[in-house]
Amino acid sequence: MIRFATLTGAVAQAALWLAGTGLVLMTAFVFAQVFYRYVIGSSLFWAEPAAVMLMGWFIFLGAAVGVKEGYHLSFDVGLMVVPESWRPWFHTLSDVVVTGFGFGMAWFGWQLAARASTGVVPGLGISRLWDFAPLIGGGILLMLFSAERILRRAAGLKTMRFGDMDDAADGARDGVPGPVSARDVLDGAAPRPRNGD
Protein backbone atom coordinates (compact mmCIF):
# COMPACT_ATOMS: atom_id res chain seq x y z
CA MET A 1 0.00 0.00 0.00
CA ILE A 2 2.93 2.32 0.74
CA ARG A 3 4.38 1.78 -2.75
CA PHE A 4 0.98 2.36 -4.33
CA ALA A 5 0.51 5.56 -2.29
CA THR A 6 3.98 6.72 -3.36
CA LEU A 7 3.12 6.06 -7.00
CA THR A 8 -0.23 7.85 -6.85
CA GLY A 9 1.39 10.71 -4.95
CA ALA A 10 3.93 11.14 -7.75
CA VAL A 11 1.16 10.95 -10.37
CA ALA A 12 -0.87 13.55 -8.46
CA GLN A 13 2.16 15.84 -8.14
CA ALA A 14 2.85 15.57 -11.88
CA ALA A 15 -0.83 16.22 -12.64
CA LEU A 16 -0.78 19.33 -10.44
CA TRP A 17 2.34 20.64 -12.18
CA LEU A 18 0.77 20.00 -15.59
CA ALA A 19 -2.48 21.65 -14.52
CA GLY A 20 -0.64 24.67 -13.14
CA THR A 21 1.48 24.98 -16.26
CA GLY A 22 -1.66 24.71 -18.39
CA LEU A 23 -3.34 27.46 -16.39
CA VAL A 24 -0.34 29.78 -16.81
CA LEU A 25 -0.09 29.02 -20.55
CA MET A 26 -3.83 29.53 -21.05
CA THR A 27 -3.62 32.90 -19.33
CA ALA A 28 -0.63 33.89 -21.48
CA PHE A 29 -2.40 32.80 -24.68
CA VAL A 30 -5.55 34.77 -23.84
CA PHE A 31 -3.49 37.84 -22.92
CA ALA A 32 -1.52 37.56 -26.17
CA GLN A 33 -4.74 37.24 -28.17
CA VAL A 34 -6.23 40.35 -26.53
CA PHE A 35 -2.97 42.27 -27.04
CA TYR A 36 -2.72 41.29 -30.69
CA ARG A 37 -6.38 42.01 -31.40
CA TYR A 38 -6.74 45.37 -29.65
CA VAL A 39 -3.21 46.81 -29.71
CA ILE A 40 -1.63 45.43 -32.86
CA GLY A 41 -4.89 45.03 -34.80
CA SER A 42 -4.14 41.45 -35.83
CA SER A 43 -5.17 38.08 -34.43
CA LEU A 44 -3.52 34.89 -33.23
CA PHE A 45 -5.70 32.27 -34.91
CA TRP A 46 -4.36 29.46 -32.72
CA ALA A 47 -4.67 31.14 -29.29
CA GLU A 48 -8.35 30.53 -28.57
CA PRO A 49 -8.51 26.80 -29.45
CA ALA A 50 -5.21 26.22 -27.62
CA ALA A 51 -6.53 28.03 -24.52
CA VAL A 52 -9.76 26.00 -24.54
CA MET A 53 -7.85 22.74 -24.86
CA LEU A 54 -5.51 23.71 -22.02
CA MET A 55 -8.51 24.64 -19.88
CA GLY A 56 -9.90 21.12 -20.33
CA TRP A 57 -6.63 19.64 -19.18
CA PHE A 58 -6.20 21.71 -16.04
CA ILE A 59 -9.85 21.32 -15.03
CA PHE A 60 -9.90 17.52 -15.30
CA LEU A 61 -6.41 17.01 -13.87
CA GLY A 62 -7.14 19.34 -10.97
CA ALA A 63 -10.49 17.66 -10.28
CA ALA A 64 -8.83 14.24 -10.12
CA VAL A 65 -6.15 15.45 -7.71
CA GLY A 66 -8.91 17.08 -5.64
CA VAL A 67 -10.49 13.64 -5.25
CA LYS A 68 -7.17 12.13 -4.14
CA GLU A 69 -6.53 14.85 -1.59
CA GLY A 70 -10.13 14.98 -0.34
CA TYR A 71 -10.57 18.64 -1.29
CA HIS A 72 -13.89 18.24 -3.05
CA LEU A 73 -17.04 19.30 -1.29
CA SER A 74 -19.20 16.52 0.03
CA PHE A 75 -22.67 16.26 1.49
CA ASP A 76 -22.07 14.96 5.00
CA VAL A 77 -25.24 15.95 6.83
CA GLY A 78 -26.49 12.35 6.81
CA LEU A 79 -23.22 11.16 8.31
CA MET A 80 -23.86 13.19 11.44
CA VAL A 81 -26.88 11.09 12.40
CA VAL A 82 -25.45 7.61 11.74
CA PRO A 83 -23.20 5.82 14.20
CA GLU A 84 -19.53 6.63 13.72
CA SER A 85 -18.78 2.99 12.84
CA TRP A 86 -20.98 3.34 9.73
CA ARG A 87 -19.22 6.41 8.36
CA PRO A 88 -16.32 4.63 6.62
CA TRP A 89 -18.90 2.54 4.72
CA PHE A 90 -20.63 5.67 3.48
CA HIS A 91 -17.28 7.24 2.55
CA THR A 92 -16.41 4.09 0.61
CA LEU A 93 -19.79 4.17 -1.14
CA SER A 94 -19.04 7.75 -2.16
CA ASP A 95 -15.65 6.70 -3.54
CA VAL A 96 -17.27 3.82 -5.45
CA VAL A 97 -19.68 6.30 -7.07
CA VAL A 98 -16.75 8.58 -8.01
CA THR A 99 -14.93 5.55 -9.47
CA GLY A 100 -17.98 4.78 -11.60
CA PHE A 101 -18.17 8.39 -12.70
CA GLY A 102 -14.48 8.29 -13.67
CA PHE A 103 -15.09 5.10 -15.64
CA GLY A 104 -17.96 6.79 -17.48
CA MET A 105 -15.76 9.79 -18.27
CA ALA A 106 -12.99 7.60 -19.69
CA TRP A 107 -15.31 5.22 -21.57
CA PHE A 108 -17.57 7.78 -23.18
CA GLY A 109 -14.68 10.20 -23.67
CA TRP A 110 -12.91 7.46 -25.63
CA GLN A 111 -16.00 6.91 -27.77
CA LEU A 112 -16.29 10.64 -28.47
CA ALA A 113 -12.58 10.85 -29.29
CA ALA A 114 -12.84 7.91 -31.70
CA ARG A 115 -15.76 9.51 -33.52
CA ALA A 116 -14.11 12.93 -33.71
CA SER A 117 -10.59 11.74 -34.55
CA THR A 118 -11.00 12.29 -38.29
CA GLY A 119 -11.75 15.97 -37.75
CA VAL A 120 -9.19 18.73 -37.30
CA VAL A 121 -9.12 21.40 -34.58
CA PRO A 122 -9.39 24.75 -36.42
CA GLY A 123 -6.35 26.92 -35.84
CA LEU A 124 -4.22 24.11 -34.46
CA GLY A 125 -4.33 21.59 -37.29
CA ILE A 126 -4.34 18.58 -34.93
CA SER A 127 -6.88 15.78 -34.63
CA ARG A 128 -10.09 16.54 -32.71
CA LEU A 129 -9.23 13.49 -30.65
CA TRP A 130 -7.15 15.86 -28.50
CA ASP A 131 -10.31 17.78 -27.56
CA PHE A 132 -11.46 14.70 -25.63
CA ALA A 133 -8.10 13.51 -24.28
CA PRO A 134 -8.50 15.52 -21.03
CA LEU A 135 -11.83 13.77 -20.39
CA ILE A 136 -10.20 10.36 -20.84
CA GLY A 137 -7.13 11.24 -18.76
CA GLY A 138 -9.21 12.81 -15.99
CA GLY A 139 -11.49 9.76 -15.86
CA ILE A 140 -8.55 7.38 -15.56
CA LEU A 141 -7.05 9.46 -12.76
CA LEU A 142 -10.41 9.65 -10.96
CA MET A 143 -10.61 5.86 -11.02
CA LEU A 144 -7.00 5.49 -9.83
CA PHE A 145 -7.30 7.98 -6.96
CA SER A 146 -10.72 6.73 -5.84
CA ALA A 147 -9.44 3.13 -5.84
CA GLU A 148 -6.54 4.26 -3.67
CA ARG A 149 -8.95 5.84 -1.18
CA ILE A 150 -11.03 2.65 -1.05
CA LEU A 151 -7.94 0.48 -0.54
CA ARG A 152 -6.53 2.80 2.13
CA ARG A 153 -9.79 2.66 4.05
CA ALA A 154 -9.93 -1.15 3.70
CA ALA A 155 -6.40 -1.32 5.13
CA GLY A 156 -7.44 0.85 8.08
CA LEU A 157 -5.49 3.91 6.92
CA LYS A 158 -6.72 7.50 7.04
CA THR A 159 -8.21 9.24 4.02
CA MET A 160 -8.69 12.99 4.05
CA ARG A 161 -12.12 14.51 3.51
CA PHE A 162 -13.09 18.10 2.85
CA GLY A 163 -13.39 19.99 6.13
CA ASP A 164 -11.24 17.60 8.16
CA MET A 165 -9.24 19.38 10.81
CA ASP A 166 -6.41 16.86 10.51
CA ASP A 167 -4.26 18.53 7.87
CA ALA A 168 -1.37 16.12 8.27
CA ALA A 169 -3.62 13.01 8.25
CA ASP A 170 -1.75 11.90 11.37
CA GLY A 171 -4.84 11.36 13.50
CA ALA A 172 -4.42 14.57 15.51
CA ARG A 173 -6.95 17.32 14.92
CA ASP A 174 -5.18 20.57 14.13
CA GLY A 175 -6.03 23.57 16.31
CA VAL A 176 -8.43 21.63 18.55
CA PRO A 177 -7.16 19.86 21.66
CA GLY A 178 -8.27 16.23 21.92
CA PRO A 179 -10.82 14.26 19.90
CA VAL A 180 -13.93 16.26 19.00
CA SER A 181 -17.05 15.12 17.15
CA ALA A 182 -18.57 17.17 14.36
CA ARG A 183 -21.81 17.43 16.34
CA ASP A 184 -19.96 19.03 19.28
CA VAL A 185 -18.33 21.58 16.99
CA LEU A 186 -21.65 22.47 15.36
CA ASP A 187 -23.48 22.66 18.69
CA GLY A 188 -20.78 24.94 20.11
CA ALA A 189 -19.80 22.44 22.80
CA ALA A 190 -16.27 22.14 21.40
CA PRO A 191 -13.78 24.91 20.73
CA ARG A 192 -13.34 25.91 17.10
CA PRO A 193 -9.84 26.13 15.65
CA ARG A 194 -8.42 29.64 15.64
CA ASN A 195 -6.88 31.24 12.55
CA GLY A 196 -3.18 30.56 12.47
CA ASP A 197 -3.38 27.38 14.57
Side-chain angles (χ1 to χ4, degrees), residues 53 111-132:
M53 190 174 294
Q111 290 181 350
L112 287 168
R115 289 184 185 148
S117 64
T118 57
V120 175
V121 177
L124 295 179
I126 61 175
S127 171
R128 297 238 14 189
L129 173 139
W130 293 103
D131 279 339
F132 301 101

PDB file of all heavy atoms in Angstrom, residues 53 111-132:
ATOM      1  N   MET A  53      -8.367  24.089 -25.083  1.00  0.00           N
ATOM      2  CA  MET A  53      -7.848  22.743 -24.861  1.00  0.00           C
ATOM      3  C   MET A  53      -7.069  22.670 -23.545  1.00  0.00           C
ATOM      4  O   MET A  53      -7.222  21.723 -22.769  1.00  0.00           O
ATOM      5  CB  MET A  53      -6.956  22.325 -26.030  1.00  0.00           C
ATOM      6  CG  MET A  53      -6.570  20.862 -25.981  1.00  0.00           C
ATOM      7  SD  MET A  53      -5.663  20.333 -27.435  1.00  0.00           S
ATOM      8  CE  MET A  53      -6.914  20.495 -28.691  1.00  0.00           C
ATOM      9  N   GLN A 111     -15.077   7.040 -26.634  1.00  0.00           N
ATOM     10  CA  GLN A 111     -16.005   6.914 -27.768  1.00  0.00           C
ATOM     11  C   GLN A 111     -16.131   8.230 -28.527  1.00  0.00           C
ATOM     12  O   GLN A 111     -16.135   8.240 -29.762  1.00  0.00           O
ATOM     13  CB  GLN A 111     -17.375   6.445 -27.282  1.00  0.00           C
ATOM     14  CG  GLN A 111     -17.373   5.016 -26.805  1.00  0.00           C
ATOM     15  CD  GLN A 111     -18.738   4.556 -26.339  1.00  0.00           C
ATOM     16  OE1 GLN A 111     -19.667   5.355 -26.192  1.00  0.00           O
ATOM     17  NE2 GLN A 111     -18.872   3.260 -26.091  1.00  0.00           N
ATOM     18  N   LEU A 112     -16.226   9.332 -27.806  1.00  0.00           N
ATOM     19  CA  LEU A 112     -16.287  10.638 -28.465  1.00  0.00           C
ATOM     20  C   LEU A 112     -15.003  10.925 -29.237  1.00  0.00           C
ATOM     21  O   LEU A 112     -15.047  11.429 -30.368  1.00  0.00           O
ATOM     22  CB  LEU A 112     -16.530  11.742 -27.434  1.00  0.00           C
ATOM     23  CG  LEU A 112     -17.926  11.825 -26.838  1.00  0.00           C
ATOM     24  CD1 LEU A 112     -17.929  12.772 -25.641  1.00  0.00           C
ATOM     25  CD2 LEU A 112     -18.919  12.290 -27.881  1.00  0.00           C
ATOM     26  N   ALA A 113     -13.871  10.605 -28.632  1.00  0.00           N
ATOM     27  CA  ALA A 113     -12.584  10.848 -29.294  1.00  0.00           C
ATOM     28  C   ALA A 113     -12.469  10.021 -30.567  1.00  0.00           C
ATOM     29  O   ALA A 113     -11.978  10.510 -31.593  1.00  0.00           O
ATOM     30  CB  ALA A 113     -11.438  10.534 -28.336  1.00  0.00           C
ATOM     31  N   ALA A 114     -12.917   8.765 -30.509  1.00  0.00           N
ATOM     32  CA  ALA A 114     -12.843   7.908 -31.696  1.00  0.00           C
ATOM     33  C   ALA A 114     -13.705   8.459 -32.836  1.00  0.00           C
ATOM     34  O   ALA A 114     -13.305   8.433 -33.997  1.00  0.00           O
ATOM     35  CB  ALA A 114     -13.271   6.484 -31.340  1.00  0.00           C
ATOM     36  N   ARG A 115     -14.879   8.961 -32.492  1.00  0.00           N
ATOM     37  CA  ARG A 115     -15.764   9.513 -33.524  1.00  0.00           C
ATOM     38  C   ARG A 115     -15.235  10.823 -34.108  1.00  0.00           C
ATOM     39  O   ARG A 115     -15.446  11.114 -35.274  1.00  0.00           O
ATOM     40  CB  ARG A 115     -17.155   9.745 -32.953  1.00  0.00           C
ATOM     41  CG  ARG A 115     -17.894   8.466 -32.685  1.00  0.00           C
ATOM     42  CD  ARG A 115     -19.292   8.731 -32.208  1.00  0.00           C
ATOM     43  NE  ARG A 115     -19.920   7.466 -31.850  1.00  0.00           N
ATOM     44  CZ  ARG A 115     -20.812   7.325 -30.909  1.00  0.00           C
ATOM     45  NH1 ARG A 115     -21.198   8.368 -30.204  1.00  0.00           N
ATOM     46  NH2 ARG A 115     -21.333   6.147 -30.657  1.00  0.00           N
ATOM     47  N   ALA A 116     -14.567  11.614 -33.276  1.00  0.00           N
ATOM     48  CA  ALA A 116     -14.110  12.927 -33.713  1.00  0.00           C
ATOM     49  C   ALA A 116     -12.686  12.916 -34.259  1.00  0.00           C
ATOM     50  O   ALA A 116     -12.206  13.940 -34.730  1.00  0.00           O
ATOM     51  CB  ALA A 116     -14.197  13.915 -32.553  1.00  0.00           C
ATOM     52  N   SER A 117     -12.011  11.777 -34.205  1.00  0.00           N
ATOM     53  CA  SER A 117     -10.586  11.739 -34.545  1.00  0.00           C
ATOM     54  C   SER A 117     -10.290  12.093 -35.995  1.00  0.00           C
ATOM     55  O   SER A 117      -9.172  12.510 -36.307  1.00  0.00           O
ATOM     56  CB  SER A 117      -9.999  10.360 -34.220  1.00  0.00           C
ATOM     57  OG  SER A 117     -10.621   9.367 -35.029  1.00  0.00           O
ATOM     58  N   THR A 118     -11.252  11.953 -36.880  1.00  0.00           N
ATOM     59  CA  THR A 118     -10.999  12.287 -38.288  1.00  0.00           C
ATOM     60  C   THR A 118     -11.072  13.791 -38.536  1.00  0.00           C
ATOM     61  O   THR A 118     -10.594  14.264 -39.562  1.00  0.00           O
ATOM     62  CB  THR A 118     -12.006  11.572 -39.206  1.00  0.00           C
ATOM     63  OG1 THR A 118     -13.328  11.931 -38.808  1.00  0.00           O
ATOM     64  CG2 THR A 118     -11.822  10.063 -39.122  1.00  0.00           C
ATOM     65  N   GLY A 119     -11.665  14.519 -37.601  1.00  0.00           N
ATOM     66  CA  GLY A 119     -11.751  15.971 -37.747  1.00  0.00           C
ATOM     67  C   GLY A 119     -10.464  16.654 -37.321  1.00  0.00           C
ATOM     68  O   GLY A 119      -9.575  16.046 -36.727  1.00  0.00           O
ATOM     69  N   VAL A 120     -10.378  17.938 -37.634  1.00  0.00           N
ATOM     70  CA  VAL A 120      -9.188  18.726 -37.300  1.00  0.00           C
ATOM     71  C   VAL A 120      -9.617  19.933 -36.461  1.00  0.00           C
ATOM     72  O   VAL A 120     -10.629  20.569 -36.750  1.00  0.00           O
ATOM     73  CB  VAL A 120      -8.480  19.200 -38.593  1.00  0.00           C
ATOM     74  CG1 VAL A 120      -7.328  20.125 -38.267  1.00  0.00           C
ATOM     75  CG2 VAL A 120      -7.996  18.005 -39.387  1.00  0.00           C
ATOM     76  N   VAL A 121      -8.857  20.233 -35.421  1.00  0.00           N
ATOM     77  CA  VAL A 121      -9.124  21.405 -34.584  1.00  0.00           C
ATOM     78  C   VAL A 121      -8.740  22.651 -35.389  1.00  0.00           C
ATOM     79  O   VAL A 121      -7.579  22.807 -35.779  1.00  0.00           O
ATOM     80  CB  VAL A 121      -8.323  21.362 -33.268  1.00  0.00           C
ATOM     81  CG1 VAL A 121      -8.564  22.622 -32.453  1.00  0.00           C
ATOM     82  CG2 VAL A 121      -8.656  20.120 -32.467  1.00  0.00           C
ATOM     83  N   PRO A 122      -9.713  23.533 -35.655  1.00  0.00           N
ATOM     84  CA  PRO A 122      -9.385  24.750 -36.419  1.00  0.00           C
ATOM     85  C   PRO A 122      -8.347  25.592 -35.688  1.00  0.00           C
ATOM     86  O   PRO A 122      -8.417  25.783 -34.483  1.00  0.00           O
ATOM     87  CB  PRO A 122     -10.723  25.491 -36.494  1.00  0.00           C
ATOM     88  CG  PRO A 122     -11.767  24.487 -36.157  1.00  0.00           C
ATOM     89  CD  PRO A 122     -11.115  23.468 -35.292  1.00  0.00           C
ATOM     90  N   GLY A 123      -7.394  26.075 -36.405  1.00  0.00           N
ATOM     91  CA  GLY A 123      -6.354  26.924 -35.836  1.00  0.00           C
ATOM     92  C   GLY A 123      -5.147  26.166 -35.336  1.00  0.00           C
ATOM     93  O   GLY A 123      -4.068  26.727 -35.239  1.00  0.00           O
ATOM     94  N   LEU A 124      -5.342  24.893 -34.965  1.00  0.00           N
ATOM     95  CA  LEU A 124      -4.220  24.110 -34.460  1.00  0.00           C
ATOM     96  C   LEU A 124      -3.760  23.047 -35.455  1.00  0.00           C
ATOM     97  O   LEU A 124      -2.608  22.630 -35.416  1.00  0.00           O
ATOM     98  CB  LEU A 124      -4.578  23.442 -33.123  1.00  0.00           C
ATOM     99  CG  LEU A 124      -4.842  24.372 -31.943  1.00  0.00           C
ATOM    100  CD1 LEU A 124      -5.210  23.569 -30.703  1.00  0.00           C
ATOM    101  CD2 LEU A 124      -3.638  25.240 -31.662  1.00  0.00           C
ATOM    102  N   GLY A 125      -4.677  22.583 -36.296  1.00  0.00           N
ATOM    103  CA  GLY A 125      -4.325  21.589 -37.292  1.00  0.00           C
ATOM    104  C   GLY A 125      -4.043  20.207 -36.736  1.00  0.00           C
ATOM    105  O   GLY A 125      -3.387  19.398 -37.391  1.00  0.00           O
ATOM    106  N   ILE A 126      -4.520  19.916 -35.517  1.00  0.00           N
ATOM    107  CA  ILE A 126      -4.336  18.584 -34.934  1.00  0.00           C
ATOM    108  C   ILE A 126      -5.689  17.884 -34.873  1.00  0.00           C
ATOM    109  O   ILE A 126      -6.739  18.507 -35.006  1.00  0.00           O
ATOM    110  CB  ILE A 126      -3.697  18.658 -33.532  1.00  0.00           C
ATOM    111  CG1 ILE A 126      -4.587  19.453 -32.571  1.00  0.00           C
ATOM    112  CG2 ILE A 126      -2.304  19.253 -33.606  1.00  0.00           C
ATOM    113  CD1 ILE A 126      -4.088  19.462 -31.135  1.00  0.00           C
ATOM    114  N   SER A 127      -5.655  16.578 -34.663  1.00  0.00           N
ATOM    115  CA  SER A 127      -6.876  15.780 -34.626  1.00  0.00           C
ATOM    116  C   SER A 127      -7.800  16.244 -33.502  1.00  0.00           C
ATOM    117  O   SER A 127      -7.345  16.618 -32.418  1.00  0.00           O
ATOM    118  CB  SER A 127      -6.526  14.304 -34.416  1.00  0.00           C
ATOM    119  OG  SER A 127      -7.679  13.542 -34.169  1.00  0.00           O
ATOM    120  N   ARG A 128      -9.104  16.183 -33.744  1.00  0.00           N
ATOM    121  CA  ARG A 128     -10.088  16.536 -32.710  1.00  0.00           C
ATOM    122  C   ARG A 128     -10.084  15.537 -31.569  1.00  0.00           C
ATOM    123  O   ARG A 128     -10.691  15.788 -30.526  1.00  0.00           O
ATOM    124  CB  ARG A 128     -11.490  16.605 -33.330  1.00  0.00           C
ATOM    125  CG  ARG A 128     -11.586  17.672 -34.374  1.00  0.00           C
ATOM    126  CD  ARG A 128     -12.587  18.691 -34.187  1.00  0.00           C
ATOM    127  NE  ARG A 128     -13.190  18.763 -32.889  1.00  0.00           N
ATOM    128  CZ  ARG A 128     -14.225  19.520 -32.644  1.00  0.00           C
ATOM    129  NH1 ARG A 128     -14.764  20.224 -33.599  1.00  0.00           N
ATOM    130  NH2 ARG A 128     -14.732  19.586 -31.448  1.00  0.00           N
ATOM    131  N   LEU A 129      -9.396  14.445 -31.743  1.00  0.00           N
ATOM    132  CA  LEU A 129      -9.226  13.488 -30.653  1.00  0.00           C
ATOM    133  C   LEU A 129      -8.674  14.185 -29.417  1.00  0.00           C
ATOM    134  O   LEU A 129      -9.053  13.868 -28.291  1.00  0.00           O
ATOM    135  CB  LEU A 129      -8.264  12.384 -31.120  1.00  0.00           C
ATOM    136  CG  LEU A 129      -7.801  11.360 -30.092  1.00  0.00           C
ATOM    137  CD1 LEU A 129      -7.801   9.986 -30.726  1.00  0.00           C
ATOM    138  CD2 LEU A 129      -6.447  11.686 -29.529  1.00  0.00           C
ATOM    139  N   TRP A 130      -7.789  15.173 -29.617  1.00  0.00           N
ATOM    140  CA  TRP A 130      -7.151  15.865 -28.499  1.00  0.00           C
ATOM    141  C   TRP A 130      -8.126  16.747 -27.727  1.00  0.00           C
ATOM    142  O   TRP A 130      -7.841  17.117 -26.584  1.00  0.00           O
ATOM    143  CB  TRP A 130      -5.947  16.664 -28.982  1.00  0.00           C
ATOM    144  CG  TRP A 130      -4.880  15.740 -29.459  1.00  0.00           C
ATOM    145  CD1 TRP A 130      -4.561  15.452 -30.761  1.00  0.00           C
ATOM    146  CD2 TRP A 130      -4.048  14.931 -28.646  1.00  0.00           C
ATOM    147  NE1 TRP A 130      -3.564  14.520 -30.803  1.00  0.00           N
ATOM    148  CE2 TRP A 130      -3.222  14.184 -29.513  1.00  0.00           C
ATOM    149  CE3 TRP A 130      -3.906  14.763 -27.275  1.00  0.00           C
ATOM    150  CZ2 TRP A 130      -2.276  13.280 -29.038  1.00  0.00           C
ATOM    151  CZ3 TRP A 130      -2.960  13.871 -26.814  1.00  0.00           C
ATOM    152  CH2 TRP A 130      -2.164  13.142 -27.682  1.00  0.00           C
ATOM    153  N   ASP A 131      -9.282  17.055 -28.307  1.00  0.00           N
ATOM    154  CA  ASP A 131     -10.306  17.784 -27.556  1.00  0.00           C
ATOM    155  C   ASP A 131     -10.864  16.935 -26.421  1.00  0.00           C
ATOM    156  O   ASP A 131     -11.325  17.457 -25.404  1.00  0.00           O
ATOM    157  CB  ASP A 131     -11.462  18.200 -28.472  1.00  0.00           C
ATOM    158  CG  ASP A 131     -11.175  19.454 -29.266  1.00  0.00           C
ATOM    159  OD1 ASP A 131     -10.289  20.235 -28.843  1.00  0.00           O
ATOM    160  OD2 ASP A 131     -11.830  19.659 -30.304  1.00  0.00           O
ATOM    161  N   PHE A 132     -10.865  15.602 -26.611  1.00  0.00           N
ATOM    162  CA  PHE A 132     -11.462  14.700 -25.626  1.00  0.00           C
ATOM    163  C   PHE A 132     -10.430  13.967 -24.782  1.00  0.00           C
ATOM    164  O   PHE A 132     -10.794  13.251 -23.854  1.00  0.00           O
ATOM    165  CB  PHE A 132     -12.375  13.692 -26.340  1.00  0.00           C
ATOM    166  CG  PHE A 132     -13.473  14.368 -27.098  1.00  0.00           C
ATOM    167  CD1 PHE A 132     -13.377  14.541 -28.470  1.00  0.00           C
ATOM    168  CD2 PHE A 132     -14.573  14.885 -26.444  1.00  0.00           C
ATOM    169  CE1 PHE A 132     -14.374  15.190 -29.175  1.00  0.00           C
ATOM    170  CE2 PHE A 132     -15.574  15.539 -27.140  1.00  0.00           C
ATOM    171  CZ  PHE A 132     -15.474  15.692 -28.505  1.00  0.00           C
TER     172      PHE A 132
END
